[in-house]
Amino acid sequence: MSLNFIEPLLYLSALGLGLGAYVQPIEGMPYLGYLAPGLIASSAMFATSYECTYGTFIRMDFQKTFHAIIATPASIDDVIMGEVLFGTFKSLLYGSTILLVVFGLKLVSSPWVLLIPVVLALSGLFFAVLAMTWTGLVPNINSFNYFFSLIITPLFLFSGVFFPLTGMPALMQQVAWFSPLYHVVKLTRGLAAGDAVWLLAGDFIWLLAATVILLPAPLFLLRRLTIK
Amino acid sequence: MEYIIEAAGLVKKYNGKTAVDAINFTVRQQECFGLLGPNGAGKTSTVKMIHCFFLPTAGRLSVLGMDVRTHSRAIKRQLGVVPQENNLDPDLGVLENLLVYAGFFGITRSSALNRAGELLEFFDLSGYERERVETLSGGMKRRLTIARALINSPNILILDEPTTGLDPQARHLVWQRLRHLKEQGVTILLTTHYMDEAAQWCDRLVIMDEGRILEEGKPQELVLKHVGKEVLEIGLGNEPAGVVLDHVSGMICGHLIIGDTLYLYSAGGQAVLQALQHFPGRFTHRLLRYATLEDVFLKLTGRGLTADGKTVAGYFPPGLEGAPASPGCLSKDLESKHVP
Ligand SMILES: Nc1ncnc2c1ncn2[C@@H]1O[C@H](COP(=O)(O)OP(=O)(O)OP(=O)(O)O)[C@@H](O)[C@H]1O
Ligand SMILES: [Mg+2]
């Protein structure tokens, strides 16, 4: 798990320093400063996604922890919401840790970064719900590889973490609007830059709406899986 | 509230496949009530409806006077559940397992600590507080699971095969503890495959098979009703069962064949044994013993128990099957004091 902390820092040093030496400032930011908020968003996404696929599945299927808990006054919906909140917490924990490191390195400085944990909480909520929907649809430990290679990795690569999408074909730019991570990165980067933050309201609303719409799915799927 | 658990027309289906088929039963306060039956009979499915794990597909089920469909939270607050499969949390230590579980009942940390200490002591697990659950033996895990079920001082304790995998000492320990709880007013609902255990501890029990209840009653009454007082076990060897049965006809009130063993039910086994002294063939063994609940269980659910897949012949004199045994089995001259 601590690997999740190290990975974004490896990206930050390898790409930020290595590649950054050849890259001109993007959107007025030196490459390291541009990359850092993106990695805050993506590392939070990974942490939550691991927790709510492998973690949730192991607790549910191998350890029968869900079964144990619902013999108490807690209901299955309580347990599922508990998993969602745990996933959200992972996002906050990992994202904020990277944020602290990045802040310590003076890569971000705007006072608006204090709002980044709020973004991490909402994005954590969304990715927890997304990952648990997958877990409910394909409850099989081998299926989680597909979740990462078909969904999480493409999001990681094409949501503007490493480079602005303005250089990509127009279609890609339009498709990016459907990527939740794209909106999270816009939020973290916008807050890190600290200007015209009200323009970010749309991204926040996008994430909020997507979370609300998707939330019934894991509740329904995992309820049905546990209680046959 | 006369009955603490009341089931009427209770049905559970899994994707259309019936596991519990419209059963009726009631459990009284402070009773130890047993659910017996072969594998797949529907015991666990019944138990899971009682502890509100899933809803009944049909029928009525009330626990502590509350409907399981509408009051699951309130019901579960007063239950202790020992599931058939251990589900202790391997991420936590022994004590932590109890404390975290107590948290789900809203028990404060300090009273949970007290209670957990008592329970670990009670089940002979003190000294293991800091151990990881993984490092416990199977029997110790079972005891910890029972201890966990008692963390909220439940009114009803639901035990799905609680003593499976326990050594004789541990089984006795657990039953002593359970008796103690029963004396304090706890109602116990139990499933088990140990017939001696059921006979000794259950005030009443039901025998289930294929989702239906075949019989209900007090253990001793069921033994007298279905088997009688004594059973003569005959290892048939090569002797045909029919010939043996002819030889003792009129002296027995029922029989059962499992594999190559013939079980003869009678009120006076000694006489049957003597009659067989003159039998021309040779038996591999003969054993006269008291009838037990196991005989009842085998008689009622005996179908398909032979290893070679041969069906078990369960022939009884007309009118005996399922009905009260013929008077011969219940006659007063049952007080045979010596059982060889
Ligand atoms: N989750 C499930 N999904 C589908 N069928 C199930 C499920 N659980 C049990 N069954 C079926 O329901 C029937 C009753 O099972 P149940 O577990 O209640 O039996 P049991 O009496 O507890 O048996 P055992 O003595 O083996 O524990 C069996 O035919 C079983 O295959
Ligand atoms: Mg069972």
Side-chain angles (χ1 to χ4, degrees), chain B residues 71-129:
Chain B
H71 290 77
S72 61
R73 237 182 250 270
I75 292 171
K76 288 194 289 180
R77 207 174 290 286
Q78 302 187 53
L79 296 189
V81 180
V82 176
Q84 184 170 356
E85 284 175 65
N86 286 334
N87 52 24
L88 297 162
D89 194 330
D91 297 335
L92 305 174
V94 168
L95 181 64
E96 289 255 272
N97 255 284
L98 298 182
L99 297 182
V100 168
Y101 211 69
F104 292 117
F105 288 93
I107 299 168
T108 61
R109 184 93 184 165
S110 62
S111 44
L113 261 172
N114 282 334
R115 181 95 185 118
E118 279 168 30
L119 286 168
L120 290 176
E121 173 92 49
F122 199 57
F123 284 99
D124 206 14
L125 287 166
S126 31
Y128 292 94
E129 285 84 353

Side-chain angles (χ1 to χ4, degrees), chain A residues 58-59 62-76 78-79 226-228, chain B residues 12 14 48 51-54 73 76-77 79 81 85 87-91 101 104-105 148:
Chain A
I58 287 170
R59 282 187 289 276
F62 295 159
Q63 304 184 351
K64 303 276 183 239
T65 308
F66 289 18
H67 296 72
I69 297 176
I70 57 180
T72 73
S75 70
I76 181 65
D78 296 337
V79 175
T226 310
I227 302 176
K228 293 211 178 73
Chain B
K12 171 65 193 174
Y14 296 99
K48 281 182 167 177
H51 71 75
C52 309
F53 181 81
F54 42 51
R73 237 182 250 270
K76 288 194 289 180
R77 207 174 290 286
L79 296 189
V81 180
E85 284 175 65
N87 52 24
L88 297 162
D89 194 330
D91 297 335
Y101 211 69
F104 292 117
F105 288 93
R148 187 184 66 176

Side-chain angles (χ1 to χ4, degrees), chain B residues 115-313:
Chain B
R115 181 95 185 118
E118 279 168 30
L119 286 168
L120 290 176
E121 173 92 49
F122 199 57
F123 284 99
D124 206 14
L125 287 166
S126 31
Y128 292 94
E129 285 84 353
R130 314 263 151 237
E131 295 289 320
R132 286 170 42 104
V133 166
E134 310 269 86
T135 65
L136 299 184
S137 75
M140 287 159 79
K141 281 186 194 146
R142 205 68 192 138
R143 268 141 58 198
L144 182 58
T145 306
I146 301 174
R148 187 184 66 176
L150 294 171
I151 197 82
N152 59 323
S153 312
N155 285 325
I156 306 179
L157 188 55
I158 293 177
L159 304 160
D160 200 350
E161 299 189 25
T163 51
T164 300
L166 293 184
D167 66 32
Q169 269 95 342
R171 260 177 85 187
H172 283 286
L173 174 87
V174 164
W175 275 110
Q176 267 172 37
R177 301 307 190 227
L178 293 178
R179 190 178 55 198
H180 185 76
L181 290 167
K182 189 170 177 280
E183 281 159 8
Q184 293 176 337
V186 175
T187 307
I188 295 176
L189 186 116
L190 165 82
T191 85
T192 181
H193 290 298
Y194 297 115
M195 293 302 128
D196 56 332
E197 198 169 87
Q200 186 176 359
W201 298 106
C202 292
D203 299 306
R204 275 184 323 127
L205 53 84
V206 294
I207 298 180
M208 293 182 72
D209 197 10
E210 299 185 317
R212 282 187 291 270
I213 291 179
L214 303 179
E215 240 322 355
E216 177 189 339
K218 295 183 166 52
Q220 275 320 308
E221 287 176 7
L222 291 179
V223 175
L224 277 181
K225 175 175 167 189
H226 287 280
V227 183
K229 191 83 178 178
E230 293 177 359
V231 173
L232 180 59
E233 274 184 47
I234 311 261
L236 285 172
N238 294 319
E239 305 302 329
V243 179
V244 181
L245 287 170
D246 283 345
H247 202 83
V248 296
S249 70
M251 307 183 71
I252 59 168
C253 54
H255 76 274
L256 179 69
I257 302 168
I258 298 178
D260 62 355
T261 303
L262 173 64
Y263 299 82
L264 300 173
Y265 308 154
S266 74
Q270 197 64 43
V272 182
L273 197 60
Q274 256 151 31
L276 284 172
Q277 296 291 349
H278 310 297
F279 186 77
R282 287 175 57 145
F283 300 125
T284 54
H285 77 275
R286 275 173 295 193
L287 172 68
L288 180 59
R289 57 169 175 78
Y290 283 119
T292 66
L293 191 60
E294 187 144 337
D295 295 307
V296 180
F297 185 92
L298 291 174
K299 176 186 163 185
L300 294 181
T301 67
R303 146 202 64 80
L305 271 178
T306 41
D308 56 4
K310 259 192 292 178
T311 39
V312 176

